[in-house]
Amino acid sequence: MAKPYIGAPIKRREDIRFITGKGTYADDIKLPGMLHAAILRSPRAHARIRSIDTAQARAIPGVVWIFTLKDIGEMAVPVPMRMYKVPGLERYLQPLLARDKVRYMGEPVAVVVAESRYLAEDALDAIEVEYEDLPEVLELRAAMRNEVLVHEENGTNLAAVHEISIGDAARAFEKADYVRREEFRVHRHTGNPMETRGLVANFDVGKRELTAYGMTKLLHYNRQVIASFLKLPEHNLHFIENDIGGGFGIRGELYPEDFLIPFASMRLGRPVKWIEDRREHLMAANHSREVTCELEIAAKKDGTLLALRARIYGNMGAYVRTHGGLVPCSTAALLPGPYRIPNYQCKVHCVITNKTGMGTYRAPGRYESCFFRERMLDMMAADLEIDPVDLRRKNLIQPEEMPYEIGLTRPGTNPTVLDSGNYPSALNRALKEFDYDKLRPLQGRFENGRYHGIGLAYFVKNTGGLEPYEGARVVLRDGPSVTVYLSINVLGQGHETAMAQICADALGVPMDWISVFHGNTDLVPFGWGTFASRGTVMGGSALHLAAQGLKKKILTIAGDHLGAGPAELDLQEGKIYRKGTEAPALDLGKLVALVRHSTMHNQGQPELEETAYFNSNKMTHSYGVHLAHVAVDPETGMVEILKYMVVEDVGRCINPLLVHGQAVGAAVQGIGGTLLEELVYGENGQLLTTTFRDYVLPSSTDVPAIESVVLEEVPSPLNPLGVKGAGEGGMVGTGAALANAVSYALSSLGVEIKELPLSPDKVRALIRRRSAEQAR
Amino acid sequence: MKPAPFEYFAPQAIDEALKLLQKYGEEAKVLAGGQSLMPLLSLRLARPAVIIDINRLRDLAFIRSEPDGGLRIGALARQRAVERSGQVATQCPLIAAAMPLIGHFQIRNRGTIGGSLAHADPAAELPAVSLTLEAEFVVRSTRGERAIAAKDFFLGYMTTAIEPSELLTEIRIPATRPRVGWAIEEVARRRGDFAMVGVVTLVELNGNDTCQNSRIVVFGAGEKPERVARAERLLCGKRTDEHALAEVAKAVTEDLDPVSDVHASAEYRKEVGGVLTRRALQNAFKRAQKETA
Ligand SMILES: Cc1cc2nc3c(=O)[nH]c(=O)nc-3n(C[C@H](O)[C@H](O)[C@H](O)COP(=O)(O)OP(=O)(O)OC[C@H]3O[C@@H](n4cnc5c(N)ncnc54)[C@H](O)[C@@H]3O)c2cc1C
């Protein structure tokens, strides 16, 4: 038996082209006659539009067309919701361009199309819009008072409510020995892929076909929506992904621009390019994470958890975007985490404000809920004088309880079921790898002017499922060579490598025969995309099935030729063997030739290919532990991370290099979100963080070397590969682990972290407040 | 993020540059390393009609030591060149110590000494350092040359005494006196960022290690870098003991009147300005004590 490719640390094939600058991104697409678009965005948070005067701008030589919502006319549709369509949200969808009113700074008002981006931006300057300012509302509580209505016609800023009720929380709270109530908040921040959004749309007037480059993440779904908007048959649209400089949930969702640019190309009959700049990205692409949680916990004296009761408020911004109520709802969905909590009650509120719309950002809702829960557990451990590790150990769901049904936590779907896992074992392994016992004496210690703290967080993250299926097509060609076509997308995850490994093992060919193609709606007719850590779970499983199907076909043909039953044969490293013999009986190259050149084989059909779809509406759950050791300078509030570790069980690891890369990248991103990044609004609803001088991302000098331990203790029973998603685990626990570590560090000062980010200013403010209280 | 239209000149000689400045005045902007100007152009926060690119004026890229121990640095000297200069390290180690705090080396490869000083970002290191060192700024126009003392050079938020028709050509740093110790301390969100607040100090000790002269400059906490006169006076005649330094730090905290922004509140800047003063003075005293008279 040849050594399997799955599990081998094979370097990413795509890296050569990325690191030598040979990738092709949206902005690299240059078509003859191509025009450039720029979007006029509202500088106001909330205002009525009195008039828009484009006359001066149109007169600039090289400006081809300027359009507003009126010019789209009857075709104008709002950007539809794709998921988490909690009833009520549908009243708050975003028009393609502002209609009468602008509701957040950055809202698209008009589109300029010109011979160059420079000219297009000159024209933006020359458009005159007369606004009548309205009072704005930015914060949850103010919005809930409905004194300022963002959408007057709806009469309320509370767009929707979703309720969860499992067991009898009220009774549990009555009987409990211990209860505590706290309010936690995660701040607004979002994903910043190195490549901002952007696309090139090219309408072929003769054939009435539209090709769009730079579309990503959900090619098939997006194509369907845009086809219906443009009133073209779906198959007349070709959506092509190109290389992508990162997605993180942000890129590839439908935004107004995804309608406006194809629309402009169709009207003008010329290719149109739009590349989002960073300022636009920070104010117009989905924001995320801003969720407040009033959390109550009930337990017995000995620390046995009895119930959780929560009110969750999502600051949805001015419009409900494609993800609907996902962020606050999925915060609620996994709030109980990996623990046995029989009673859980939660009310989720989706609140509209004059900020940018909310969408997903890597580990949406899970980062937030992990912070809420794991902070609360540490507070409870301190109150009950129980060791925080013991408290968790006591309440973790045991392996023999798997699969474990939490109950109905998501709107209108199946109950949340933790598919498999050995939670206590991962905890033990994490403590050992981190050398927790050795570091623990440092807890709270003051050394060389800094307080030390060690914090941990347990997370569980649903992966896969979500949308019902993915497809893959595998073709054996001359050479011999194998081509794989995927319905999923690739936003930098390394699928060209991992999928080749999966195919090589399932088919029985050398990996270097295999080429992987993806990101084009013409390759595989149906599909969804890469998000929620589902790429390998869904797409990998589809490919596994397709490759197995093709192998069966090959063995049947070989059997016909060799006079043997397919069961007597095997395919290994590209050669067909009679089972139990050493010498190959038939070479695949020969088999391809036989099929191509005679009508005797494969019933005269020259092709050797197989398409398969993997269907599953069930979710796999990866899980693990984050551990952080920090030192905090109490005088400056600066937090330094001395050691950080992510331990994650992914069921089965296709390629450890890739999984480590995901864990490290995600952890760095999570650390950035926890310590540095924040989208800050100021006076008059102005977004103040519109460049990287103000919105600060972590760089290599700001994070320690992240240690990542990948476990494969419990494969998922939900797919043929046994895999669970690996893209987000490194992110989920960062807020929680760091907040716990900083809280331990500053425990002698009485500081308890309940809000993120842990910026020096905020840490200092907490210390200042506590010392003022103590002085009183 | 594309600049508004502008006319571009790349003079080959200083006189040519000065003539252009004379001609275009307020309408023109000088382009040196571009590390601050280019983002402003791209964001259309600056819309000069004319750009005068001085990168070809190699004569302005010098670093020279004077016989009296002073230092002269040409406006076009790259920050990285100053950082790596042996002359700077021996003759003015404070400047050498401040350089690595400016952005990242890629930025310092392009960024110039003159650009940083002319730009006068209130959170930038070099303006504060030059104020501490009582440096002198040489500016030139078609009408001639004049020298401006540091205390008269920084006028306000990103404003200096350079006239629209003038080019900053060099800065002159006086020789370091014996028994002088220095230190620079700052806090920034990330390594290489502009400081949320920072402090530069200089102390001159007499024979029995008491301070006879000091400078305390706070940056990133106001419109421009500022000396804290009351704190400097308090320090006079003091030795380095906890109590004395705490008192000086307190004076700094009290006298600062900073703004709040997305990175830090005014309160933070006041408090931490004091903390950094204490830390900087400790280091400055230590250095001065090592110096022999
Ligand atoms: C990511 C990043 C981080 C940074 N971090 C820091 C930091 O931590 N600390 C810090 O101090 N700086 C920082 N900077 C700024 C950097 O130091 C710049 O190089 C410097 O501020 C400007 O120098 P420059 O040569 O690039 O000037 P330019 O950008 O070319 O010009 C800046 C201004 O000075 C004027 N000017 C330039 N030269 C002259 C002259 N000879 N005479 C008259 N006017 C002139 C220009 O007209 C312009 O108004 C950072 C920059 C970046 C991009």
Side-chain angles (χ1 to χ4, degrees), chain A residues 595-621:
Chain A
V595 172
R596 292 275 191 277
H597 300 297
S598 104
T599 53
M600 301 273 298
H601 300 280
N602 200 25
Q603 293 149 4
Q605 299 299 310
E607 108 291 3
L608 280 165
E609 67 171 81
E610 188 73 24
T611 298
Y613 286 87
F614 177 70
N615 274 278
S616 172
N617 57 6
K618 296 202 175 117
M619 308 239 226
T620 62
H621 289 80

mmCIF file of all heavy atoms in Angstrom, chain A residues 595-621:
data_model
loop_
_atom_site.group_PDB
_atom_site.id
_atom_site.type_symbol
_atom_site.label_atom_id
_atom_site.label_comp_id
_atom_site.label_asym_id
_atom_site.label_seq_id
_atom_site.Cartn_x
_atom_site.Cartn_y
_atom_site.Cartn_z
ATOM 1 N N VAL A 595 -9.833 3.435 -24.083
ATOM 2 C CA VAL A 595 -11.167 4.027 -24.040
ATOM 3 C C VAL A 595 -11.338 5.065 -25.151
ATOM 4 O O VAL A 595 -12.379 5.138 -25.798
ATOM 5 C CB VAL A 595 -11.433 4.656 -22.648
ATOM 6 C CG1 VAL A 595 -12.738 5.454 -22.647
ATOM 7 C CG2 VAL A 595 -11.481 3.567 -21.589
ATOM 8 N N ARG A 596 -10.278 5.820 -25.377
ATOM 9 C CA ARG A 596 -10.376 6.874 -26.387
ATOM 10 C C ARG A 596 -10.483 6.312 -27.814
ATOM 11 O O ARG A 596 -11.150 6.887 -28.649
ATOM 12 C CB ARG A 596 -9.128 7.776 -26.360
ATOM 13 C CG ARG A 596 -8.994 8.603 -25.137
ATOM 14 C CD ARG A 596 -9.775 9.913 -25.200
ATOM 15 N NE ARG A 596 -9.360 10.748 -24.093
ATOM 16 C CZ ARG A 596 -9.848 10.644 -22.864
ATOM 17 N NH1 ARG A 596 -10.829 9.799 -22.613
ATOM 18 N NH2 ARG A 596 -9.379 11.403 -21.899
ATOM 19 N N HIS A 597 -9.776 5.220 -28.069
ATOM 20 C CA HIS A 597 -9.608 4.805 -29.457
ATOM 21 C C HIS A 597 -10.438 3.605 -29.875
ATOM 22 O O HIS A 597 -10.350 3.142 -30.995
ATOM 23 C CB HIS A 597 -8.128 4.559 -29.741
ATOM 24 C CG HIS A 597 -7.303 5.798 -29.513
ATOM 25 N ND1 HIS A 597 -7.489 6.937 -30.246
ATOM 26 C CD2 HIS A 597 -6.338 6.079 -28.602
ATOM 27 C CE1 HIS A 597 -6.661 7.875 -29.812
ATOM 28 N NE2 HIS A 597 -5.959 7.372 -28.808
ATOM 29 N N SER A 598 -11.230 3.088 -28.978
ATOM 30 C CA SER A 598 -12.046 1.962 -29.455
ATOM 31 C C SER A 598 -13.444 2.122 -28.896
ATOM 32 O O SER A 598 -13.676 2.861 -27.942
ATOM 33 C CB SER A 598 -11.412 0.645 -29.014
ATOM 34 O OG SER A 598 -12.124 0.097 -27.926
ATOM 35 N N THR A 599 -14.370 1.456 -29.525
ATOM 36 C CA THR A 599 -15.744 1.511 -29.041
ATOM 37 C C THR A 599 -16.032 0.326 -28.133
ATOM 38 O O THR A 599 -17.133 0.152 -27.653
ATOM 39 C CB THR A 599 -16.737 1.504 -30.210
ATOM 40 O OG1 THR A 599 -16.421 0.388 -31.029
ATOM 41 C CG2 THR A 599 -16.648 2.782 -31.005
ATOM 42 N N MET A 600 -14.988 -0.488 -27.904
ATOM 43 C CA MET A 600 -15.168 -1.699 -27.118
ATOM 44 C C MET A 600 -15.357 -1.407 -25.626
ATOM 45 O O MET A 600 -15.949 -2.192 -24.916
ATOM 46 C CB MET A 600 -13.917 -2.594 -27.246
ATOM 47 C CG MET A 600 -13.601 -3.011 -28.652
ATOM 48 S SD MET A 600 -14.504 -4.509 -29.045
ATOM 49 C CE MET A 600 -13.810 -5.650 -27.839
ATOM 50 N N HIS A 601 -14.727 -0.292 -25.198
ATOM 51 C CA HIS A 601 -14.676 -0.063 -23.752
ATOM 52 C C HIS A 601 -15.584 1.085 -23.331
ATOM 53 O O HIS A 601 -15.889 1.964 -24.111
ATOM 54 C CB HIS A 601 -13.228 0.229 -23.338
ATOM 55 C CG HIS A 601 -12.328 -0.908 -23.677
ATOM 56 N ND1 HIS A 601 -12.243 -2.043 -22.898
ATOM 57 C CD2 HIS A 601 -11.499 -1.107 -24.732
ATOM 58 C CE1 HIS A 601 -11.385 -2.877 -23.453
ATOM 59 N NE2 HIS A 601 -10.923 -2.342 -24.569
ATOM 60 N N ASN A 602 -15.987 1.046 -22.097
ATOM 61 C CA ASN A 602 -16.848 2.088 -21.537
ATOM 62 C C ASN A 602 -18.048 2.338 -22.450
ATOM 63 O O ASN A 602 -18.454 3.461 -22.647
ATOM 64 C CB ASN A 602 -16.041 3.389 -21.315
ATOM 65 C CG ASN A 602 -16.729 4.313 -20.302
ATOM 66 O OD1 ASN A 602 -17.495 3.848 -19.464
ATOM 67 N ND2 ASN A 602 -16.444 5.608 -20.392
ATOM 68 N N GLN A 603 -18.576 1.310 -22.989
ATOM 69 C CA GLN A 603 -19.754 1.363 -23.886
ATOM 70 C C GLN A 603 -19.587 2.412 -24.979
ATOM 71 O O GLN A 603 -20.521 3.113 -25.344
ATOM 72 C CB GLN A 603 -21.012 1.652 -23.065
ATOM 73 C CG GLN A 603 -21.357 0.507 -22.149
ATOM 74 C CD GLN A 603 -22.039 0.984 -20.877
ATOM 75 O OE1 GLN A 603 -22.319 2.147 -20.695
ATOM 76 N NE2 GLN A 603 -22.298 0.042 -19.990
ATOM 77 N N GLY A 604 -18.375 2.526 -25.467
ATOM 78 C CA GLY A 604 -18.129 3.439 -26.576
ATOM 79 C C GLY A 604 -18.039 4.902 -26.179
ATOM 80 O O GLY A 604 -17.845 5.767 -27.014
ATOM 81 N N GLN A 605 -18.161 5.182 -24.895
ATOM 82 C CA GLN A 605 -18.090 6.569 -24.441
ATOM 83 C C GLN A 605 -16.621 6.923 -24.178
ATOM 84 O O GLN A 605 -15.968 6.261 -23.389
ATOM 85 C CB GLN A 605 -18.887 6.772 -23.145
ATOM 86 C CG GLN A 605 -20.367 6.455 -23.287
ATOM 87 C CD GLN A 605 -21.059 7.336 -24.310
ATOM 88 O OE1 GLN A 605 -20.917 8.550 -24.266
ATOM 89 N NE2 GLN A 605 -21.763 6.714 -25.257
ATOM 90 N N PRO A 606 -16.100 7.983 -24.820
ATOM 91 C CA PRO A 606 -14.675 8.271 -24.673
ATOM 92 C C PRO A 606 -14.297 8.876 -23.327
ATOM 93 O O PRO A 606 -13.135 8.891 -22.973
ATOM 94 C CB PRO A 606 -14.400 9.267 -25.809
ATOM 95 C CG PRO A 606 -15.712 9.908 -26.068
ATOM 96 C CD PRO A 606 -16.758 8.870 -25.778
ATOM 97 N N GLU A 607 -15.280 9.411 -22.612
ATOM 98 C CA GLU A 607 -14.905 10.137 -21.396
ATOM 99 C C GLU A 607 -14.699 9.202 -20.220
ATOM 100 O O GLU A 607 -15.300 8.150 -20.112
ATOM 101 C CB GLU A 607 -15.947 11.224 -21.089
ATOM 102 C CG GLU A 607 -16.852 10.981 -19.913
ATOM 103 C CD GLU A 607 -17.860 9.866 -20.098
ATOM 104 O OE1 GLU A 607 -17.831 9.209 -21.159
ATOM 105 O OE2 GLU A 607 -18.652 9.618 -19.188
ATOM 106 N N LEU A 608 -13.776 9.628 -19.353
ATOM 107 C CA LEU A 608 -13.565 8.907 -18.100
ATOM 108 C C LEU A 608 -13.723 9.937 -17.002
ATOM 109 O O LEU A 608 -12.780 10.625 -16.636
ATOM 110 C CB LEU A 608 -12.156 8.318 -18.060
ATOM 111 C CG LEU A 608 -11.963 7.029 -18.840
ATOM 112 C CD1 LEU A 608 -10.494 6.744 -19.028
ATOM 113 C CD2 LEU A 608 -12.659 5.860 -18.133
ATOM 114 N N GLU A 609 -14.932 10.091 -16.557
ATOM 115 C CA GLU A 609 -15.138 11.119 -15.544
ATOM 116 C C GLU A 609 -16.300 10.794 -14.636
ATOM 117 O O GLU A 609 -17.099 9.902 -14.930
ATOM 118 C CB GLU A 609 -15.342 12.487 -16.199
ATOM 119 C CG GLU A 609 -16.624 12.623 -16.997
ATOM 120 C CD GLU A 609 -16.838 14.075 -17.421
ATOM 121 O OE1 GLU A 609 -16.212 14.469 -18.414
ATOM 122 O OE2 GLU A 609 -17.631 14.771 -16.761
ATOM 123 N N GLU A 610 -16.330 11.496 -13.553
ATOM 124 C CA GLU A 610 -17.387 11.255 -12.572
ATOM 125 C C GLU A 610 -17.678 12.575 -11.839
ATOM 126 O O GLU A 610 -16.761 13.320 -11.488
ATOM 127 C CB GLU A 610 -16.911 10.198 -11.565
ATOM 128 C CG GLU A 610 -17.952 9.703 -10.618
ATOM 129 C CD GLU A 610 -18.994 8.777 -11.255
ATOM 130 O OE1 GLU A 610 -18.693 8.149 -12.303
ATOM 131 O OE2 GLU A 610 -20.106 8.692 -10.703
ATOM 132 N N THR A 611 -18.948 12.847 -11.666
ATOM 133 C CA THR A 611 -19.358 14.011 -10.878
ATOM 134 C C THR A 611 -20.100 13.506 -9.650
ATOM 135 O O THR A 611 -20.868 12.545 -9.749
ATOM 136 C CB THR A 611 -20.292 14.919 -11.698
ATOM 137 O OG1 THR A 611 -19.573 15.388 -12.827
ATOM 138 C CG2 THR A 611 -20.771 16.115 -10.882
ATOM 139 N N ALA A 612 -19.847 14.100 -8.516
ATOM 140 C CA ALA A 612 -20.598 13.704 -7.315
ATOM 141 C C ALA A 612 -20.923 14.942 -6.497
ATOM 142 O O ALA A 612 -20.192 15.930 -6.521
ATOM 143 C CB ALA A 612 -19.782 12.723 -6.482
ATOM 144 N N TYR A 613 -22.027 14.854 -5.808
ATOM 145 C CA TYR A 613 -22.403 15.918 -4.851
ATOM 146 C C TYR A 613 -22.462 15.304 -3.473
ATOM 147 O O TYR A 613 -22.952 14.185 -3.309
ATOM 148 C CB TYR A 613 -23.761 16.526 -5.228
ATOM 149 C CG TYR A 613 -23.660 17.418 -6.444
ATOM 150 C CD1 TYR A 613 -23.773 16.893 -7.727
ATOM 151 C CD2 TYR A 613 -23.423 18.785 -6.301
ATOM 152 C CE1 TYR A 613 -23.642 17.696 -8.843
ATOM 153 C CE2 TYR A 613 -23.295 19.602 -7.416
ATOM 154 C CZ TYR A 613 -23.409 19.050 -8.685
ATOM 155 O OH TYR A 613 -23.284 19.859 -9.783
ATOM 156 N N PHE A 614 -21.931 16.016 -2.515
ATOM 157 C CA PHE A 614 -22.062 15.568 -1.135
ATOM 158 C C PHE A 614 -23.132 16.416 -0.470
ATOM 159 O O PHE A 614 -23.087 17.651 -0.513
ATOM 160 C CB PHE A 614 -20.738 15.707 -0.378
ATOM 161 C CG PHE A 614 -20.843 15.330 1.073
ATOM 162 C CD1 PHE A 614 -21.036 14.002 1.436
ATOM 163 C CD2 PHE A 614 -20.781 16.289 2.070
ATOM 164 C CE1 PHE A 614 -21.153 13.638 2.775
ATOM 165 C CE2 PHE A 614 -20.902 15.937 3.417
ATOM 166 C CZ PHE A 614 -21.083 14.606 3.767
ATOM 167 N N ASN A 615 -24.108 15.721 0.106
ATOM 168 C CA ASN A 615 -25.236 16.395 0.739
ATOM 169 C C ASN A 615 -25.176 16.236 2.238
ATOM 170 O O ASN A 615 -24.975 15.131 2.731
ATOM 171 C CB ASN A 615 -26.544 15.717 0.301
ATOM 172 C CG ASN A 615 -27.022 16.306 -0.987
ATOM 173 O OD1 ASN A 615 -27.659 17.350 -0.992
ATOM 174 N ND2 ASN A 615 -26.689 15.647 -2.084
ATOM 175 N N SER A 616 -25.349 17.315 2.950
ATOM 176 C CA SER A 616 -25.483 17.178 4.396
ATOM 177 C C SER A 616 -26.023 18.465 4.959
ATOM 178 O O SER A 616 -25.559 19.545 4.631
ATOM 179 C CB SER A 616 -24.124 16.879 5.039
ATOM 180 O OG SER A 616 -24.258 16.928 6.445
ATOM 181 N N ASN A 617 -27.048 18.351 5.789
ATOM 182 C CA ASN A 617 -27.492 19.561 6.470
ATOM 183 C C ASN A 617 -27.073 19.512 7.933
ATOM 184 O O ASN A 617 -27.515 20.304 8.738
ATOM 185 C CB ASN A 617 -29.001 19.760 6.326
ATOM 186 C CG ASN A 617 -29.766 18.568 6.843
ATOM 187 O OD1 ASN A 617 -29.178 17.645 7.403
ATOM 188 N ND2 ASN A 617 -31.065 18.579 6.649
ATOM 189 N N LYS A 618 -26.215 18.543 8.245
ATOM 190 C CA LYS A 618 -25.749 18.448 9.635
ATOM 191 C C LYS A 618 -24.388 19.115 9.761
ATOM 192 O O LYS A 618 -23.604 19.139 8.826
ATOM 193 C CB LYS A 618 -25.638 16.978 10.033
ATOM 194 C CG LYS A 618 -26.992 16.284 10.028
ATOM 195 C CD LYS A 618 -26.963 15.062 10.910
ATOM 196 C CE LYS A 618 -28.346 14.443 11.017
ATOM 197 N NZ LYS A 618 -28.350 13.086 10.437
ATOM 198 N N MET A 619 -24.112 19.589 10.939
ATOM 199 C CA MET A 619 -22.854 20.311 11.128
ATOM 200 C C MET A 619 -21.866 19.501 11.944
ATOM 201 O O MET A 619 -22.219 18.894 12.958
ATOM 202 C CB MET A 619 -23.129 21.596 11.880
ATOM 203 C CG MET A 619 -24.231 22.381 11.219
ATOM 204 S SD MET A 619 -23.644 23.960 10.751
ATOM 205 C CE MET A 619 -24.980 24.934 11.359
ATOM 206 N N THR A 620 -20.631 19.538 11.495
ATOM 207 C CA THR A 620 -19.549 18.970 12.291
ATOM 208 C C THR A 620 -19.117 20.057 13.289
ATOM 209 O O THR A 620 -19.288 21.239 13.036
ATOM 210 C CB THR A 620 -18.360 18.598 11.403
ATOM 211 O OG1 THR A 620 -17.874 19.793 10.779
ATOM 212 C CG2 THR A 620 -18.769 17.627 10.318
ATOM 213 N N HIS A 621 -18.549 19.624 14.396
ATOM 214 C CA HIS A 621 -18.129 20.605 15.410
ATOM 215 C C HIS A 621 -16.677 20.372 15.804
ATOM 216 O O HIS A 621 -16.368 19.382 16.457
ATOM 217 C CB HIS A 621 -19.029 20.531 16.647
ATOM 218 C CG HIS A 621 -20.404 21.068 16.394
ATOM 219 N ND1 HIS A 621 -21.379 20.339 15.756
ATOM 220 C CD2 HIS A 621 -20.955 22.279 16.668
ATOM 221 C CE1 HIS A 621 -22.481 21.087 15.661
ATOM 222 N NE2 HIS A 621 -22.251 22.262 16.204
#
